[in-house]
Amino acid sequence: MKRKVLFVATVLRGHVLVFHLPYMKWFQEQGYEVHLCCRNDTPDPGITVPYCDRWIQLPFERSPLNRANLGVYRQLKALIDREQYALIHCNTPVGGALGRLCARAARARGTRVVYTAHGFHFFDGAPLQNWLLFYPAERFLSRFTDLLITMNGEDDRRAQRFHAKKTAMVNGVGVDLSRFEEPVDRDEVRRQLGLAQDTPLLITVGEHIDRKNHETVLRTLALLENVHVLFCGVGEREDSLRALARELNVENRAHFLGFRRDVPRLLAACDLFFFPSLQEGLPVSQMEAMAAGLPCVVSDVRGNADLVRPGEGGFLRKPNDCEGFAADIALLLGDPALRDSMAERNRSVMKNYSLEAVLAQMTRLYREQLGEHG
């Protein structure tokens, strides 16, 4: 009989399909039966998940205080008690909390429980309510964790003071560098966007939510002449952002492109990456921009700052420093040689964050937890 592993996360499209398929594939290749528990947040009720032998759809809610999660707890606990998993890998705050609580009895029988913190909700500068709610919860739940994985230095330092049997920091979820190796006709991409070849062009990638701080992108854009910005993503704030663009008279220079599957092509057509987010774990969008050879003008927050050294791969500023961001952007747009040196540095750094490099890190950790060698 095959040994079984279980991946637990809150949502499918917003998490599992983005981060976990290479690791689910690895387990299948090692002969494991791979199960998945998450909510289907795609518009397709019949969607299939690659590298998954069994998908148990559970109605996880993002808010830890939502009573619907009590029903999820009961169903998840029954599943874990029945299936006798060799390893359970929990992700996302709610998925991580429910997964670890439900696995207490299984863990006593030998199941190994792994939790990846993609970015603790408590961090330097976080609202007090985040510290009051999430810090004690994560500290308590660490008691039921065999391996706690973090992705940035700040989280790693805090995790080491918790109660997990082992902590480890990995270089994110892995970037598929092959996506950035194919040649791109920069001028053709710009033509399709209706932009001139010499238009100064920035790009920002992320959901239109408060945490991504797109208001600062627009307010900074208003301080720059002739510069355009591509917004890649969807979210609840899009209408208000479009309204702000009109208010600031930059609506003709702010291009809302929606969800895009051709981000590597768009990155190749741009001059730099602008990302003033308020909170990050280790941002995939910034890593992809670096892999594409873009200098990065980003906020000086956990995760972003782990990737960029000021003056080498880009610049760091406080999240709402529009004047400072505008000065950095103007400097880079006016200095092609500096952009080229930063591009070379960023591409080199990303080799350590490649999918192959991170999969090797995770493979060692998985084998260690499962008592395997090789």
Side-chain angles (χ1 to χ4, degrees):
M1 178 183 295
K2 287 185 176 182
R3 299 178 78 188
K4 302 174 186 176
V5 297
L6 173 67
F7 282 74
V8 180
T10 304
V11 292
L12 178 66
R13 180 174 62 179
H15 200 88
V16 174
L17 296 181
V18 177
F19 298 136
H20 297 300
L21 297 186
Y23 308 99
M24 295 165 64
K25 178 183 179 183
W26 180 83
F27 272 108
Q28 277 197 341
E29 290 174 344
Q30 307 308 306
Y32 285 84
E33 183 177 318
V34 177
H35 292 192
L36 169 67
C37 281
C38 66
R39 173 164 57 88
N40 183 4
D41 60 333
T42 77
D44 180 3
I47 189 172
T48 58
V49 182
Y51 315 118
C52 179
D53 296 292
R54 183 185 177 197
W55 176 20
I56 303 95
Q57 297 189 40
L58 297 179
F60 288 94
E61 293 292 338
R62 287 184 182 272
S63 171
L65 304 179
N66 193 308
R67 293 179 61 85
N69 285 322
L70 292 175
V72 174
Y73 171 86
R74 288 191 289 269
Q75 295 178 72
L76 182 58
K77 187 175 187 307
L79 174 75
I80 291 174
D81 287 343
R82 180 176 65 250
E83 293 294 338
Q84 300 181 3
Y85 294 108
L87 182 143
I88 300 173
H89 191 162
C90 306
N91 301 268
T92 67
V94 169
L98 293 178
R100 285 180 286 175
L101 288 173
C102 292
R104 285 175 296 171
R107 187 166 171 257
R109 296 192 298 269
T111 297
R112 308 309 292 266
V113 176
V114 177
Y115 171 59
T116 295
H118 294 259
F120 288 135
H121 281 329
F122 47 91
F123 52 92
D124 292 345
L128 178 60
Q129 64 186 25
N130 287 35
W131 283 95
L132 293 176
L133 176 62
F134 291 103
Y135 180 83
E138 289 287 6
R139 188 175 180 87
F140 171 74
L141 290 165
S142 69
R143 299 176 183 274
F144 314 122
T145 311
D146 294 295
L147 172 63
L148 198 167
I149 297 172
T150 58
M151 297 186 177
N152 61 70
E154 182 182 318
D155 284 353
D156 182 58
R157 289 188 292 274
R158 291 205 169 96
Q160 290 181 34
R161 299 197 293 269
F162 288 177
H163 307 289
K165 279 192 172 182
K166 178 182 175 66
T167 63
M169 186 172 74
V170 302
N171 290 345
V173 295
V175 176
D176 183 359
L177 299 184
S178 67
R179 298 174 65 220
F180 305 93
E181 294 172 353
E182 295 183 9
V184 174
D185 187 335
R186 173 188 174 96
D187 294 341
E188 173 62 17
V189 176
R190 285 174 171 243
R191 186 192 65 77
Q192 292 172 359
L193 294 169
L195 297 172
Q197 296 177 13
D198 60 350
T199 299
L201 187 58
L202 320 180
I203 186 170
T204 189
V205 181
E207 287 184 274
H208 296 316
I209 55 178
D210 289 337
R211 181 165 65 86
K212 296 301 181 181
N213 197 24
H214 287 123
E215 281 196 12
T216 290
V217 177
L218 291 170
R219 296 189 186 281
T220 301
L221 181 62
L223 300 176
L224 298 162
E225 293 185 3
N226 303 319
V227 176
H228 289 239
V229 178
L230 305 181
F231 290 83
C232 298
V234 296
E236 60 194 26
R237 292 297 310 281
E238 182 169 339
D239 289 342
S240 63
L241 290 169
R242 288 179 179 272
L244 178 60
R246 291 191 293 271
E247 178 185 327
L248 296 171
N249 295 316
V250 297
E251 68 270 28
N252 294 327
R253 296 191 286 128
H255 307 274
F256 292 88
L257 304 184
F259 177 77
R260 301 290 295 231
R261 297 188 182 276
D262 61 343
V263 169
R265 292 180 69 252
L266 297 173
L267 290 169
C270 293
D271 297 302
L272 61 88
F273 179 72
F274 185 22
F275 197 60
S277 54
L278 302 175
Q279 170 196 348
E280 292 296 333
L282 196 71
V284 171
S285 58
Q286 182 179 334
M287 289 191 285
E288 290 188 339
M290 294 171 68
L294 290 186
C296 296
V297 176
V298 301
S299 50
D300 189 5
V301 299
R302 171 199 65 179
N304 294 358
D306 285 68
L307 296 168
V308 167
R309 288 183 181 177
E312 295 185 17
F315 295 108
L316 301 169
R317 294 277 183 176
K318 292 187 181 300
N320 295 316
D321 184 2
C322 298
E323 291 79 9
F325 282 132
D328 292 337
I329 290 167
L331 172 63
L332 285 168
L333 291 175
D335 193 338
L338 179 58
R339 293 203 306 272
D340 289 344
S341 69
M342 288 184 173
E344 183 177 350
R345 184 265 180 191
N346 285 345
R347 288 193 183 98
S348 177
V349 168
M350 278 303 104
K351 294 176 183 177
N352 295 323
Y353 294 83
S354 70
L355 182 57
E356 291 78 10
V358 177
L359 183 57
Q361 289 180 308
M362 290 298 301
T363 296
R364 289 192 294 270
L365 293 170
Y366 282 142
R367 289 192 185 282
E368 181 181 89
Q369 289 299 309
L370 293 165
E372 298 178 358
H373 302 283

